[in-house]
Amino acid sequence: GVAKRLEYICRTSDRKVPIEFQADAFAAHLLMPESLVRRCWHELRGSSEPMSLDQIRKDGTAEIKADIQRRLRYMTGSDAEDRAAMESAAQPMADTFEVSASAMKNRLMKLNLLVKHKEKSLFDGME
């Protein structure tokens, strides 16, 4: 008389399953609370401004560029280079929060701290 329990094994390709979105969102909020992430971002970056892919590529040290190349060996897809660059930029905070670089990248993107393209401000270029 015991009901059979469904087993579910999550794979990266299973991300479209709603239960996985909920689990990921819950884990992100629990392990990386917004207030702590924003405080850590400000401490590490010296600013609360978002970081864009262009900045990562322009300001990247030789170490960051090597890290991006290393990550690319394990990634596929047309956006692999972008994901590798963003994960590399997220790695210091991932280490602080003891989560994967991918999880931290996703959290930073959700909080608009890590962006693909920085929106131009009315005041850009003014000094």
Side-chain angles (χ1 to χ4, degrees), residues 10-37:
C10 178
R11 297 194 180 12
T12 304
S13 61
D14 291 341
R15 292 287 179 198
K16 293 183 179 162
V17 178
I19 197 166
E20 286 306 311
F21 283 126
Q22 292 172 346
D24 287 349
F26 174 75
H29 285 84
L30 181 68
L31 298 173
M32 300 169 277
E34 181 175 355
S35 61
L36 294 179
V37 170

Side-chain angles (χ1 to χ4, degrees), residues 31 52 71 76 100 115:
L31 298 173
S52 69
R71 290 174 191 278
T76 59
S100 70
V115 295

Side-chain angles (χ1 to χ4, degrees), residues 76-83:
T76 59
S78 59
D79 65 340
E81 191 173 331
D82 291 352
R83 287 184 290 124

